[in-house]
Amino acid sequence: VPKNRRPRDRDDKHDEILAAALELFTSRGYDTTSMAQVAAATGVTTTTIYWYFTDKDALLLAVLDHVLENVLSELPSQLERPLDEQLLWALARLRSHRRLVVTVHARTARVPAIATWHDGFHELMNAVLADGLRRQGVLGEDIPALTTAGVFVIEGLLTHETSESHARSVLRVLTDKVS
Amino acid sequence: VPKNRRPRDRDDKHDEILAAALELFTSRGYDTTSMAQVAAATGVTTTTIYWYFTDKDALLLAVLDHVLENVLSELPSQLERPLDEQLLWALARLRSHRRLVVTVHARTARVPAIATWHDGFHELMNAVLADGLRRQGVLGEDIPALTTAGVFVIEGLLTHETSESHARSVLRVLTDKVS
DNA sequence: ACCTGAACACCGTTCAAGT
DNA sequence: ACCTGAACACCGTTCAAGT
């Protein structure tokens, strides 16, 4: 057996399970998709998943990290743009993952590892948004409060169905704070 | 058997189950408490609950209605107060029900009846907040966007742990929109 | 090391049987 | 009408057994 053969196979299967979970968790939702469904979508037995992921929450965590990684890779191209365009981009980019957002909130109270991930995600959003506000010329003392408000508004727009135009005007209400 | 005896017993047991569910759903969370636990807390068999509530979601809905009813009964005394005090009151009043808020969001995607309840709750919050903004002298055209932002910020403050002082300054950022 | 089928403990819900 | 114990279908997870 060539030394590279096995590890690559393992990585492949790991990624296949991850891809199936990502697709199912995003489209159908975390607690509506069973481990059996993830296994069937990958073409393995349910128990096989447990060889690659310690439990269902670990699988969710891997999905979250994967999504975050993708978003992070696109972030640099957005950092120069005006704040309101940044926000609309974030909104559009994350909309397909709305179920994931709700799931993270639901499971944060239950599993510490998800709570930690959730904290990290908020820190990231806070940092990016605070920077955007600073670039807009917002007073330093207003930034923490406006940042928190902004993140909550984004989460709200993400998880509640709203028209594109209304979302736009809700976000404008925040960015207009410059004056 | 006196004609009033039976119906009253029935109402009593209905309310006892409801009270147990309210306590458990609020403190431990909806999907962490089993029907068996609600039954045990009431002193009945699991299957008995199904005589009074069609299923677990119907029980949740009854809990939600009960909480809403209580909040509504206290609402009139708050309607005259300044907007920022109203918001702080709502925040304090609903904080103990944060798990319920997260649960509603999680189950809205799954069960239509919860989605309808959720819509109604948002309509109520929107109406109260819009009225508060109007009384503050906010321009009519800004009200819809500010209302949506305000409700999302309240939900965010409710579901994410924040210090009292930070919450206060986050809310002020919204109410200061008058100027 | 990797994968499986069978088993376990738990869940929400149903139902035939009692009173 | 009201309540129950037994049963059902499903779930996440474990484990002894295979390769």
Side-chain angles (χ1 to χ4, degrees):
Chain A
V1 195
K3 59 180 176 182
N4 272 347
R5 196 79 182 88
R6 277 297 188 170
R8 186 146 298 281
D9 280 2
R10 175 170 176 83
D11 287 358
D12 283 355
K13 197 162 284 185
H14 178 280
D15 292 353
E16 278 171 39
I17 296 170
L18 185 58
L22 169 63
E23 212 286 305
L24 288 168
F25 290 174
T26 304
S27 63
R28 306 170 72 89
Y30 176 76
D31 35 36
T32 333
T33 77
S34 63
M35 292 297 261
Q37 285 171 315
V38 176
T42 320
V44 296
T45 305
T46 305
T47 41
T48 298
I49 299 182
Y50 288 87
W51 185 261
Y52 294 90
F53 302 91
T54 52
D55 55 21
K56 201 184 177 185
D57 279 303
L59 187 51
L60 173 59
L61 224 33
V63 166
L64 293 174
D65 280 335
H66 185 259
V67 170
L68 181 57
E69 203 176 311
N70 276 355
V71 174
L72 279 178
S73 73
E74 300 170 19
L75 217 165
S77 64
Q78 295 293 326
L79 285 179
E80 308 287 301
R81 303 180 62 196
L83 181 59
D84 52 346
E85 287 180 31
Q86 262 185 22
L87 294 175
L88 282 170
W89 171 80
L91 199 60
R93 188 61 185 72
L94 294 173
R95 227 196 239 298
S96 54
H97 300 301
R98 44 204 302 295
R99 313 199 76 145
L100 245 28
V101 176
V102 174
T103 299
V104 167
H105 285 151
R107 296 203 74 72
T108 279
R110 274 226 244 170
V111 5
I114 306 274
T116 304
W117 190 93
H118 183 224
D119 288 346
F121 190 72
H122 271 269
E123 264 175 49
L124 172 71
M125 286 202 291
N126 278 331
V128 174
L129 187 48
D131 184 63
L133 289 168
R134 222 173 284 118
R135 281 171 34 232
Q136 283 255 316
V138 174
L139 270 76
E141 52 174 340
D142 288 345
I143 287 185
L146 260 176
T147 298
T148 301
V151 171
F152 288 165
V153 165
I154 289 184
E155 279 192 349
L157 288 172
L158 220 50
T159 52
H160 300 74
E161 217 68 72
T162 357
S163 76
E164 174 73 15
S165 65
H166 187 54
R168 211 175 274 268
S169 65
V170 171
L171 287 177
R172 192 151 35 224
V173 135
L174 284 168
T175 54
D176 277 2
K177 253 297 177 190
V178 214
S179 58
Chain B
V1 195
K3 59 180 176 183
N4 271 348
R5 194 80 182 90
R6 276 298 187 171
R8 185 147 300 280
D9 281 1
R10 174 173 176 83
D11 286 357
D12 283 355
K13 196 160 286 185
H14 177 279
D15 292 353
E16 280 171 39
I17 295 170
L18 186 57
L22 170 63
E23 212 286 305
L24 289 168
F25 290 174
T26 303
S27 63
R28 305 171 72 90
Y30 176 76
D31 36 36
T32 333
T33 77
S34 63
M35 293 297 262
Q37 285 172 314
V38 176
T42 320
V44 296
T45 306
T46 305
T47 41
T48 299
I49 298 182
Y50 288 88
W51 186 261
Y52 295 90
F53 302 91
T54 52
D55 55 22
K56 201 183 178 187
D57 279 303
L59 187 50
L60 173 60
L61 224 33
V63 166
L64 293 174
D65 280 335
H66 185 259
V67 170
L68 181 57
E69 205 176 309
N70 277 355
V71 173
L72 279 179
S73 73
E74 300 169 19
L75 216 164
S77 65
Q78 295 293 326
L79 284 180
E80 307 287 301
R81 302 181 62 197
L83 180 58
D84 50 348
E85 287 180 30
Q86 262 186 22
L87 293 176
L88 281 170
W89 170 80
L91 200 58
R93 187 64 183 71
L94 294 174
R95 227 196 240 296
S96 54
H97 299 302
R98 42 203 301 298
R99 312 199 75 145
L100 245 30
V101 176
V102 174
T103 299
V104 168
H105 286 150
R107 296 203 73 73
T108 280
R110 274 226 243 169
V111 5
I114 306 274
T116 303
W117 191 93
H118 182 226
D119 288 345
F121 189 72
H122 271 269
E123 264 175 49
L124 172 70
M125 288 202 290
N126 278 331
V128 174
L129 187 48
D131 185 62
L133 289 168
R134 222 173 283 119
R135 281 170 34 233
Q136 283 256 319
V138 173
L139 268 76
E141 52 173 341
D142 289 344
I143 288 185
L146 261 174
T147 299
T148 301
V151 171
F152 288 165
V153 165
I154 290 183
E155 278 193 348
L157 289 172
L158 221 49
T159 51
H160 299 74
E161 218 69 71
T162 356
S163 76
E164 176 71 17
S165 66
H166 186 56
R168 210 176 276 269
S169 65
V170 171
L171 287 177
R172 192 153 35 224
V173 134
L174 282 169
T175 54
D176 277 2
K177 252 301 177 186
V178 213
S179 60

